[in-house]
Every structure is written in C-alpha cells, then in structure tokens.
Amino acid sequence: PTGNVWTQTQMLISPETFIGDTFASCVGISGDNIVIGATSHDPDPKNKTRGAAYIFGSRSGSAQAE
C-alpha cells in the first residue's frame, strides 16, 4: 500500500483456464504464499466434479505459480 491507497502490483492468473472453473472462489494466504482454488476446474463443462488448487509464492519480488 502507498499511504491509505492500495495499488495492484501483480495479477495472479490460472495457468490453465476453463470456462466456469471458478478460479479464486477460495483463497488462502500464509506469509509469502497464496493458495487459490478453482472449485469447478474441469475441461468438460457438463461435468464440474473436479477442483484444482494453485500455489503462488514470491520469488525475487514477483509471483510464481508452483
């Protein structure tokens, strides 16, 4: 944050995106790590039974998907 104003410094995007995968439907943060869930992550739009979790960690000042 700069003073009382927050600014976007990094955009976290899914390494694999499917329509309706609900990326970022749940988020967990611990230290320099963020876990982002996609609760309906499934390439078959009629079968949304699988989910995915993506772990992002800070390395050298930039976010990296793990």
Side-chain angles (χ1 to χ4, degrees), residues 14 18-27 36-42 47-54:
S14 171
F18 300 109
I19 294 173
D21 69 1
T22 63
F23 180 74
S25 58
C26 50
V27 176
I36 299 178
T39 57
S40 298
H41 179 81
D42 198 316
N47 184 27
K48 296 292 183 182
T49 58
R50 292 185 280 181
Y54 300 95

Side-chain angles (χ1 to χ4, degrees), residues 2-62:
T2 304
N4 290 328
V5 178
W6 286 84
T7 57
Q8 179 177 325
T9 58
Q10 189 80 31
M11 180 181 289
L12 302 177
I13 59 173
S14 171
E16 351 170 81
T17 302
F18 300 109
I19 294 173
D21 69 1
T22 63
F23 180 74
S25 58
C26 50
V27 176
I29 302 171
S30 177
D32 290 337
N33 297 304
I34 300 173
V35 178
I36 299 178
T39 57
S40 298
H41 179 81
D42 198 316
D44 180 356
K46 296 177 184 174
N47 184 27
K48 296 292 183 182
T49 58
R50 292 185 280 181
Y54 300 95
I55 302 169
F56 294 88
S58 178
R59 293 195 181 134
S60 301
S62 63

